[in-house]
Amino acid sequence: NAGVMQNPRHLVRRRGQEARLRCSPMKGHSHVYWYRQLPEEGLKFMVYLQKENIIDESGMPKERFSAEFPKEGPSILRIQQVVRGDSAAYFCASSPPFQSRTEAFFGQGTRLTVV
Amino acid sequence: KNEVEQSPQNLTAQEGEFITINCSYSVGISALHWLQQHPGGGIVSLFMLSSGKKKHGRLIATINIQEKHSSLHITASHPRDSAVYICAVRSGRYGNKLVFGAGTILRVKS
């Protein structure tokens, strides 16, 4: 049973390009969370999704950022027209339904560098 | 004031020392997690607590629900324990997402 899989592990984009980060949850998990870790800062919640539905996007910047978790395939975090301030580590975590007392399962993260 | 406060921010210890990292939070929670992150690495879950105490190898985690406080202890510390240790809480108040402390940077010298 593979853990939470994120790809790519490292992503370099020029300013103005688009970044697509992928997250495949653990088998049997239908809920996905995205978190961002800015340099020298702690982890911050971005968005919580279940299949075909956004549950909570209160941590997502209002512009340029979007997330989806389709019925088939991985969850995608998309950043349009990237800027240097988007450089960060982006972590995905997954959980089964009724997750209030479940372990936290994280991916290895995607380290985005905007040049 | 952050919802989750950790102390200390930085900690340097000599190999073999007993280490304690503290975490305080401000709302009722359903679970508290201790996480470990090595430089440039992923995030590994060490413990999930909703009450009492858990032990895994040289690591011990305790939680006091009434005082809204948890501690992570490392006995007989080793240089490979050097990492960032992060406390995170899950609460219905936050919509069941994790809210994180700022992390404690631990360096164990040989």
Side-chain angles (χ1 to χ4, degrees), chain A residues 9 33 35 37 41-45 48 56 58 91 99-104 106-109 111, chain B residues 30-31 33 35 37 40-43 45 47-48 50 54 86 90 94-98 100-102:
Chain A
R9 291 287 304 278
Y33 300 79
Y35 299 95
Q37 188 176 42
E41 293 190 22
L43 286 150
K44 294 284 194 289
F45 167 79
Y48 165 32
D56 181 351
S58 58
F91 289 94
Q99 79 301 68
S100 65
R101 293 192 181 183
T102 187
E103 293 288 347
F106 285 85
Q108 288 291 302
R111 276 141 183 97
Chain B
S30 56
H33 298 260
L35 309 168
Q37 185 179 25
I43 297 169
S45 177
F47 293 103
M48 183 193 70
S50 52
K54 286 189 177 179
I86 304 166
R90 198 186 296 277
Y94 307 134
N96 278 321
K97 57 183 175 280
L98 286 174
F100 301 87

Side-chain angles (χ1 to χ4, degrees), chain A residues 65-77:
Chain A
F65 285 72
S66 63
E68 62 175 5
F69 189 14
K71 188 176 179 181
E72 301 291 337
S75 175
I76 306 284
L77 179 67

Side-chain angles (χ1 to χ4, degrees), chain A residues 8-49:
Chain A
R9 291 287 304 278
H10 299 274
L11 181 62
V12 179
R13 283 288 177 267
R14 295 187 185 278
R15 280 177 295 168
Q17 289 185 321
E18 179 180 286
R20 283 189 178 231
L21 288 62
R22 294 174 188 79
C23 170
S24 296
M26 285 183 70
K27 189 175 181 181
H29 286 191
S30 57
H31 294 231
V32 163
Y33 300 79
W34 284 95
Y35 299 95
R36 179 166 66 174
Q37 188 176 42
L38 290 165
E40 309 303 323
E41 293 190 22
L43 286 150
K44 294 284 194 289
F45 167 79
M46 298 185 76
V47 62
Y48 165 32
L49 311 105

Side-chain angles (χ1 to χ4, degrees), chain B residues 4-6 21-25 32-36 70 85-89 98-104:
Chain B
V4 181
E5 296 275 357
Q6 276 188 247
I21 299 170
N22 295 299
C23 175
S24 297
Y25 52 92
L32 181 143
H33 298 260
W34 281 103
L35 309 168
Q36 180 193 56
S70 175
Y85 291 84
I86 304 166
C87 172
V89 301
L98 286 174
V99 176
F100 301 87
T104 294

